[in-house]
Amino acid sequence: MRAFAVAVALSVMLAAAPTFAQAPAPAAAPAPQAAPAEAPFPTGAKYAFVNIQRVAAESGQGKALSSRVQALNTQKLTQLNEKNKALQTSQQKLDSGASVLSDVARGQLEKDIDRQQTEIQRFTDDAQKEVQDLQTELQSEFQQKLGPVIQQVAQEKKLEILFSALDAGIIWADAGLDLTSEVIRRFDAAAPVAATAAPAAPRAATPAPAPAAPRPAAPRPPAPAPPPKQ
């Protein structure tokens, strides 16, 4: 069997994976454009290409892994905002009480502000590393799952070379040589994302039983007749 090479760059960061920063969350991205219609693969073609960024952005695995990074990023931003608010409160207390605080109180507040600033810087550095480490871990996971799918497609089509569209410097190519959509379909089939179970609908409250109607009082026995007079 003829040997072939798969020249595809899999070391691509997951699409939409955010980098931790102290800025607020970016605005929602515009709706993705519909995937272009697939053209038939040219008979006997030995070369093709795949857009790895599209695979990362449109495949179920790519979306799921990106969501994990986004969730961690959002969590860290929330924690950072809370720390910044606490620092701002301390700074306002120092500014507003400059004329009434004792030297001891002012000195203690200044130490607290220095400590908070140091903690914020340390937290920011640690959070950036944690997000980057997760990105690296998920990138490796993405590669391990996608690689066999790409190789299978290349083998089935008896390709000699499979290019990465963004790295190969392609200026023009027959649309039929673009195997991105097929790779996405194969990838989703080979590595399906477990659906998140929807929360169970709240159970309808059981109506309280209607109060029982009052039972009629039992009739009193008749009073005994007085004894006859002698």
Side-chain angles (χ1 to χ4, degrees):
M1 179 178 178
R2 176 181 295 185
F4 63 90
V6 180
V8 56
L10 290 180
S11 57
V12 58
M13 293 304 289
L14 295 175
T19 300
F20 182 82
Q22 297 188 38
Q33 297 180 355
E38 290 185 62
F41 185 73
T43 303
K46 296 298 182 182
Y47 310 100
F49 63 91
V50 173
N51 187 324
I52 301 298
Q53 284 194 355
R54 257 194 67 201
V55 178
E58 298 178 19
S59 67
Q61 281 291 330
K63 292 176 181 178
L65 299 184
S66 180
S67 295
R68 289 173 59 184
V69 178
Q70 180 65 57
L72 177 60
N73 191 71
T74 301
Q75 174 190 343
K76 296 301 180 182
L77 281 173
T78 300
Q79 294 173 347
L80 178 62
N81 287 337
E82 292 174 355
K83 293 180 180 296
N84 279 327
K85 287 180 181 178
L87 174 61
Q88 184 178 8
T89 299
S90 298
Q91 188 64 54
Q92 289 175 346
K93 185 183 299 185
L94 178 64
D95 295 341
S96 61
S99 58
V100 296
L101 289 173
S102 65
D103 292 342
V104 174
R106 184 183 303 105
Q108 182 59 51
L109 191 53
E110 289 174 345
K111 289 181 180 179
D112 291 342
I113 291 175
D114 289 341
R115 175 183 52 79
Q116 288 174 308
Q117 290 174 335
T118 300
E119 289 179 353
I120 287 175
Q121 183 59 54
R122 184 179 298 115
F123 176 85
T124 301
D125 294 341
D126 291 345
Q128 287 177 337
K129 184 178 185 304
E130 189 173 347
V131 172
Q132 290 170 357
D133 288 347
L134 180 61
Q135 286 177 327
T136 301
E137 175 188 343
L138 298 184
Q139 178 183 332
S140 176
E141 180 180 339
F142 182 76
Q143 294 173 9
Q144 292 175 1
K145 292 180 178 179
L146 179 60
V149 175
I150 289 181
Q151 183 163 343
Q152 181 182 17
V153 172
Q155 289 176 330
E156 290 179 0
K157 296 189 178 299
K158 296 180 170 53
L159 300 178
E160 295 179 354
I161 298 179
L162 181 59
F163 293 99
S164 168
L166 299 180
D167 300 321
I170 297 175
I171 298 176
W172 180 90
D174 188 309
L177 297 175
D178 185 358
L179 301 180
T180 305
S181 296
E182 181 172 351
V183 168
I184 292 173
R185 285 196 305 272
R186 298 281 194 95
F187 192 25
D188 286 342
V193 177
T196 304
R203 298 178 57 183
T206 304
R215 299 177 60 183
R220 292 183 178 181
K229 292 181 179 182
Q230 297 293 331

